[in-house]
mmCIF file of all heavy atoms in Angstrom:
data_model
loop_
_atom_site.group_PDB
_atom_site.id
_atom_site.type_symbol
_atom_site.label_atom_id
_atom_site.label_comp_id
_atom_site.label_asym_id
_atom_site.label_seq_id
_atom_site.Cartn_x
_atom_site.Cartn_y
_atom_site.Cartn_z
ATOM 1 N N ALA Y 52 53.514 0.480 173.884
ATOM 2 C CA ALA Y 52 54.111 1.517 173.041
ATOM 3 C C ALA Y 52 53.040 2.313 172.282
ATOM 4 O O ALA Y 52 53.332 3.355 171.750
ATOM 5 C CB ALA Y 52 55.068 0.898 172.014
ATOM 6 N N PHE Y 53 51.791 1.808 172.323
ATOM 7 C CA PHE Y 53 50.731 2.465 171.527
ATOM 8 C C PHE Y 53 50.424 3.865 171.997
ATOM 9 O O PHE Y 53 50.217 4.127 173.204
ATOM 10 C CB PHE Y 53 49.452 1.648 171.557
ATOM 11 C CG PHE Y 53 48.413 2.134 170.628
ATOM 12 C CD1 PHE Y 53 48.376 1.794 169.302
ATOM 13 C CD2 PHE Y 53 47.364 2.989 171.112
ATOM 14 C CE1 PHE Y 53 47.394 2.299 168.434
ATOM 15 C CE2 PHE Y 53 46.430 3.537 170.266
ATOM 16 C CZ PHE Y 53 46.421 3.116 168.863
ATOM 17 N N GLU Y 54 50.465 4.803 171.028
ATOM 18 C CA GLU Y 54 50.141 6.187 171.344
ATOM 19 C C GLU Y 54 49.547 6.780 170.115
ATOM 20 O O GLU Y 54 50.267 7.079 169.124
ATOM 21 C CB GLU Y 54 51.422 6.922 171.744
ATOM 22 C CG GLU Y 54 51.144 8.377 172.214
ATOM 23 C CD GLU Y 54 52.369 9.065 172.762
ATOM 24 O OE1 GLU Y 54 52.676 8.836 173.995
ATOM 25 O OE2 GLU Y 54 53.068 9.762 171.987
ATOM 26 N N ALA Y 55 48.254 7.022 170.095
ATOM 27 C CA ALA Y 55 47.577 7.583 168.886
ATOM 28 C C ALA Y 55 47.858 9.089 168.862
ATOM 29 O O ALA Y 55 48.154 9.735 169.808
ATOM 30 C CB ALA Y 55 46.024 7.267 169.066
ATOM 31 N N VAL Y 56 47.734 9.598 167.582
ATOM 32 C CA VAL Y 56 47.850 11.003 167.369
ATOM 33 C C VAL Y 56 46.691 11.462 166.538
ATOM 34 O O VAL Y 56 46.084 10.720 165.810
ATOM 35 C CB VAL Y 56 49.171 11.306 166.570
ATOM 36 C CG1 VAL Y 56 50.382 10.950 167.451
ATOM 37 C CG2 VAL Y 56 49.249 10.599 165.275
ATOM 38 N N SER Y 78 51.868 3.995 154.240
ATOM 39 C CA SER Y 78 53.158 4.741 154.556
ATOM 40 C C SER Y 78 53.405 4.762 156.061
ATOM 41 O O SER Y 78 52.491 4.750 156.867
ATOM 42 C CB SER Y 78 53.083 6.117 154.033
ATOM 43 O OG SER Y 78 52.051 6.898 154.746
ATOM 44 N N ILE Y 79 54.681 4.725 156.386
ATOM 45 C CA ILE Y 79 55.118 4.794 157.805
ATOM 46 C C ILE Y 79 56.154 5.945 157.922
ATOM 47 O O ILE Y 79 57.159 5.938 157.116
ATOM 48 C CB ILE Y 79 55.716 3.479 158.317
ATOM 49 C CG1 ILE Y 79 54.689 2.311 158.184
ATOM 50 C CG2 ILE Y 79 56.167 3.646 159.768
ATOM 51 C CD1 ILE Y 79 55.261 0.982 158.600
ATOM 52 N N LEU Y 80 56.009 6.751 158.903
ATOM 53 C CA LEU Y 80 57.045 7.746 159.264
ATOM 54 C C LEU Y 80 57.906 7.166 160.377
ATOM 55 O O LEU Y 80 57.368 6.868 161.456
ATOM 56 C CB LEU Y 80 56.431 9.066 159.607
ATOM 57 C CG LEU Y 80 57.433 10.119 160.053
ATOM 58 C CD1 LEU Y 80 58.415 10.511 158.953
ATOM 59 C CD2 LEU Y 80 56.708 11.380 160.619
ATOM 60 N N LEU Y 81 59.162 7.020 160.138
ATOM 61 C CA LEU Y 81 60.137 6.535 161.140
ATOM 62 C C LEU Y 81 60.842 7.777 161.741
ATOM 63 O O LEU Y 81 61.508 8.477 161.019
ATOM 64 C CB LEU Y 81 61.141 5.553 160.515
ATOM 65 C CG LEU Y 81 60.521 4.367 159.714
ATOM 66 C CD1 LEU Y 81 61.603 3.608 158.973
ATOM 67 C CD2 LEU Y 81 59.750 3.469 160.637
ATOM 68 N N ILE Y 82 60.674 7.884 163.015
ATOM 69 C CA ILE Y 82 61.226 9.086 163.715
ATOM 70 C C ILE Y 82 62.284 8.651 164.731
ATOM 71 O O ILE Y 82 61.962 7.848 165.656
ATOM 72 C CB ILE Y 82 60.183 9.892 164.447
ATOM 73 C CG1 ILE Y 82 58.980 10.189 163.487
ATOM 74 C CG2 ILE Y 82 60.702 11.184 165.048
ATOM 75 C CD1 ILE Y 82 57.755 10.755 164.231
ATOM 76 N N LEU Y 101 62.681 9.238 158.344
ATOM 77 C CA LEU Y 101 62.595 8.417 157.101
ATOM 78 C C LEU Y 101 61.130 8.070 156.862
ATOM 79 O O LEU Y 101 60.369 7.774 157.788
ATOM 80 C CB LEU Y 101 63.415 7.134 157.268
ATOM 81 C CG LEU Y 101 64.932 7.306 157.432
ATOM 82 C CD1 LEU Y 101 65.305 7.138 158.894
ATOM 83 C CD2 LEU Y 101 65.720 6.312 156.643
ATOM 84 N N HIS Y 138 59.313 18.319 165.564
ATOM 85 C CA HIS Y 138 58.984 17.444 166.694
ATOM 86 C C HIS Y 138 59.168 18.165 167.997
ATOM 87 O O HIS Y 138 58.391 18.018 168.924
ATOM 88 C CB HIS Y 138 59.856 16.185 166.630
ATOM 89 C CG HIS Y 138 59.525 15.146 167.716
ATOM 90 N ND1 HIS Y 138 60.144 15.206 168.977
ATOM 91 C CD2 HIS Y 138 58.648 14.166 167.756
ATOM 92 C CE1 HIS Y 138 59.615 14.229 169.711
ATOM 93 N NE2 HIS Y 138 58.706 13.538 168.985
ATOM 94 N N THR Y 143 55.016 14.308 168.044
ATOM 95 C CA THR Y 143 54.784 13.419 166.914
ATOM 96 C C THR Y 143 53.765 14.048 165.915
ATOM 97 O O THR Y 143 53.991 13.947 164.698
ATOM 98 C CB THR Y 143 54.254 12.069 167.385
ATOM 99 O OG1 THR Y 143 55.139 11.508 168.339
ATOM 100 C CG2 THR Y 143 54.094 11.113 166.258
ATOM 101 N N HIS Y 144 52.723 14.626 166.466
ATOM 102 C CA HIS Y 144 51.700 15.177 165.561
ATOM 103 C C HIS Y 144 52.229 16.268 164.654
ATOM 104 O O HIS Y 144 51.973 16.315 163.478
ATOM 105 C CB HIS Y 144 50.562 15.783 166.411
ATOM 106 C CG HIS Y 144 49.394 16.285 165.626
ATOM 107 N ND1 HIS Y 144 48.728 17.432 165.906
ATOM 108 C CD2 HIS Y 144 48.811 15.774 164.502
ATOM 109 C CE1 HIS Y 144 47.734 17.650 165.057
ATOM 110 N NE2 HIS Y 144 47.784 16.694 164.163
ATOM 111 N N ALA Y 146 55.392 16.600 163.734
ATOM 112 C CA ALA Y 146 56.335 16.007 162.796
ATOM 113 C C ALA Y 146 55.566 15.344 161.625
ATOM 114 O O ALA Y 146 55.938 15.525 160.447
ATOM 115 C CB ALA Y 146 57.148 14.927 163.514
ATOM 116 N N ILE Y 147 54.475 14.681 161.940
ATOM 117 C CA ILE Y 147 53.658 14.029 160.861
ATOM 118 C C ILE Y 147 52.998 15.114 159.948
ATOM 119 O O ILE Y 147 53.084 15.022 158.741
ATOM 120 C CB ILE Y 147 52.519 13.156 161.486
ATOM 121 C CG1 ILE Y 147 53.136 11.948 162.180
ATOM 122 C CG2 ILE Y 147 51.534 12.701 160.386
ATOM 123 C CD1 ILE Y 147 52.143 11.102 162.904
ATOM 124 N N ILE Y 158 50.431 10.227 155.938
ATOM 125 C CA ILE Y 158 51.247 9.280 156.688
ATOM 126 C C ILE Y 158 50.236 8.468 157.519
ATOM 127 O O ILE Y 158 49.501 8.934 158.340
ATOM 128 C CB ILE Y 158 52.188 10.117 157.657
ATOM 129 C CG1 ILE Y 158 53.149 10.919 156.864
ATOM 130 C CG2 ILE Y 158 52.860 9.171 158.619
ATOM 131 C CD1 ILE Y 158 54.158 10.070 156.051
ATOM 132 N N ASP Y 159 50.236 7.168 157.227
ATOM 133 C CA ASP Y 159 49.283 6.275 157.837
ATOM 134 C C ASP Y 159 49.666 5.822 159.216
ATOM 135 O O ASP Y 159 48.816 5.645 160.099
ATOM 136 C CB ASP Y 159 49.071 5.011 156.925
ATOM 137 C CG ASP Y 159 48.508 5.411 155.572
ATOM 138 O OD1 ASP Y 159 47.556 6.144 155.482
ATOM 139 O OD2 ASP Y 159 49.171 5.015 154.573
ATOM 140 N N TYR Y 160 50.950 5.630 159.413
ATOM 141 C CA TYR Y 160 51.453 5.210 160.733
ATOM 142 C C TYR Y 160 52.773 5.834 161.035
ATOM 143 O O TYR Y 160 53.421 6.383 160.121
ATOM 144 C CB TYR Y 160 51.676 3.679 160.756
ATOM 145 C CG TYR Y 160 50.478 2.842 160.452
ATOM 146 C CD1 TYR Y 160 50.335 2.230 159.190
ATOM 147 C CD2 TYR Y 160 49.483 2.615 161.347
ATOM 148 C CE1 TYR Y 160 49.241 1.461 158.856
ATOM 149 C CE2 TYR Y 160 48.353 1.837 161.090
ATOM 150 C CZ TYR Y 160 48.258 1.270 159.816
ATOM 151 O OH TYR Y 160 47.107 0.510 159.535
ATOM 152 N N TYR Y 161 53.163 5.774 162.303
ATOM 153 C CA TYR Y 161 54.480 6.252 162.654
ATOM 154 C C TYR Y 161 55.115 5.301 163.650
ATOM 155 O O TYR Y 161 54.397 4.574 164.366
ATOM 156 C CB TYR Y 161 54.451 7.668 163.313
ATOM 157 C CG TYR Y 161 54.010 7.668 164.788
ATOM 158 C CD1 TYR Y 161 55.026 7.582 165.790
ATOM 159 C CD2 TYR Y 161 52.697 7.719 165.132
ATOM 160 C CE1 TYR Y 161 54.596 7.509 167.113
ATOM 161 C CE2 TYR Y 161 52.290 7.638 166.471
ATOM 162 C CZ TYR Y 161 53.260 7.573 167.500
ATOM 163 O OH TYR Y 161 52.885 7.499 168.775
ATOM 164 N N VAL Y 162 56.402 5.288 163.681
ATOM 165 C CA VAL Y 162 57.194 4.518 164.691
ATOM 166 C C VAL Y 162 58.236 5.457 165.169
ATOM 167 O O VAL Y 162 59.063 5.968 164.365
ATOM 168 C CB VAL Y 162 57.809 3.227 164.120
ATOM 169 C CG1 VAL Y 162 58.631 2.569 165.183
ATOM 170 C CG2 VAL Y 162 56.732 2.282 163.700
ATOM 171 N N LYS Y 163 58.264 5.715 166.485
ATOM 172 C CA LYS Y 163 59.261 6.686 167.069
ATOM 173 C C LYS Y 163 60.115 5.894 168.088
ATOM 174 O O LYS Y 163 59.606 5.249 168.992
ATOM 175 C CB LYS Y 163 58.539 7.861 167.718
ATOM 176 C CG LYS Y 163 59.536 8.835 168.294
ATOM 177 C CD LYS Y 163 58.760 10.152 168.727
ATOM 178 C CE LYS Y 163 57.817 9.952 169.851
ATOM 179 N NZ LYS Y 163 57.232 11.243 170.327
ATOM 180 N N MET Y 164 61.420 6.068 167.927
ATOM 181 C CA MET Y 164 62.386 5.442 168.826
ATOM 182 C C MET Y 164 63.412 6.450 169.277
ATOM 183 O O MET Y 164 63.817 7.310 168.506
ATOM 184 C CB MET Y 164 63.047 4.228 168.135
ATOM 185 C CG MET Y 164 62.146 3.110 167.744
ATOM 186 S SD MET Y 164 62.998 1.750 166.916
ATOM 187 C CE MET Y 164 63.953 1.087 168.286
ATOM 188 N N MET Y 262 59.978 3.151 172.680
ATOM 189 C CA MET Y 262 59.331 3.190 171.341
ATOM 190 C C MET Y 262 57.883 3.634 171.540
ATOM 191 O O MET Y 262 57.272 3.273 172.510
ATOM 192 C CB MET Y 262 59.356 1.879 170.668
ATOM 193 C CG MET Y 262 58.709 1.898 169.257
ATOM 194 S SD MET Y 262 58.655 0.254 168.425
ATOM 195 C CE MET Y 262 57.129 -0.407 169.164
ATOM 196 N N LYS Y 263 57.367 4.422 170.573
ATOM 197 C CA LYS Y 263 55.971 4.802 170.469
ATOM 198 C C LYS Y 263 55.516 4.551 169.085
ATOM 199 O O LYS Y 263 56.228 4.753 168.086
ATOM 200 C CB LYS Y 263 55.747 6.293 170.854
ATOM 201 C CG LYS Y 263 56.002 6.574 172.379
ATOM 202 C CD LYS Y 263 55.060 5.803 173.260
ATOM 203 C CE LYS Y 263 55.340 6.087 174.754
ATOM 204 N NZ LYS Y 263 54.507 5.268 175.630
ATOM 205 N N THR Y 264 54.288 4.093 168.912
ATOM 206 C CA THR Y 264 53.711 3.859 167.624
ATOM 207 C C THR Y 264 52.181 3.933 167.720
ATOM 208 O O THR Y 264 51.626 3.730 168.822
ATOM 209 C CB THR Y 264 54.128 2.523 167.033
ATOM 210 O OG1 THR Y 264 53.590 2.301 165.723
ATOM 211 C CG2 THR Y 264 53.644 1.337 167.917
ATOM 212 N N ASP Y 265 51.521 4.161 166.544
ATOM 213 C CA ASP Y 265 50.052 4.146 166.551
ATOM 214 C C ASP Y 265 49.580 2.876 165.849
ATOM 215 O O ASP Y 265 48.438 2.772 165.411
ATOM 216 C CB ASP Y 265 49.477 5.369 165.848
ATOM 217 C CG ASP Y 265 49.987 5.626 164.490
ATOM 218 O OD1 ASP Y 265 50.899 4.989 164.035
ATOM 219 O OD2 ASP Y 265 49.409 6.500 163.814
ATOM 220 N N MET Y 266 50.480 1.877 165.677
ATOM 221 C CA MET Y 266 50.121 0.621 165.063
ATOM 222 C C MET Y 266 49.721 -0.386 166.176
ATOM 223 O O MET Y 266 50.370 -0.434 167.223
ATOM 224 C CB MET Y 266 51.221 -0.039 164.251
ATOM 225 C CG MET Y 266 51.382 0.520 162.872
ATOM 226 S SD MET Y 266 52.577 -0.390 161.894
ATOM 227 C CE MET Y 266 54.138 0.394 162.422
ATOM 228 N N MET Y 271 51.002 -4.364 162.856
ATOM 229 C CA MET Y 271 52.459 -4.470 162.736
ATOM 230 C C MET Y 271 52.828 -5.860 162.196
ATOM 231 O O MET Y 271 53.750 -5.895 161.308
ATOM 232 C CB MET Y 271 53.117 -4.224 164.145
ATOM 233 C CG MET Y 271 54.585 -4.050 164.128
ATOM 234 S SD MET Y 271 55.276 -3.562 165.700
ATOM 235 C CE MET Y 271 54.659 -1.874 165.814
#
Side-chain angles (χ1 to χ4, degrees):
F53 186 83
E54 185 174 276
V56 294
S78 64
I79 301 177
L80 177 62
L81 307 172
I82 310 172
L101 297 102
H138 186 269
T143 304
H144 184 220
I147 292 174
I158 295 297
D159 299 308
Y160 301 104
Y161 80 90
V162 175
K163 180 168 68 175
M164 297 176 70
M262 182 184 84
K263 292 297 179 184
T264 183
D265 57 351
M266 277 189 279
M271 192 172 287

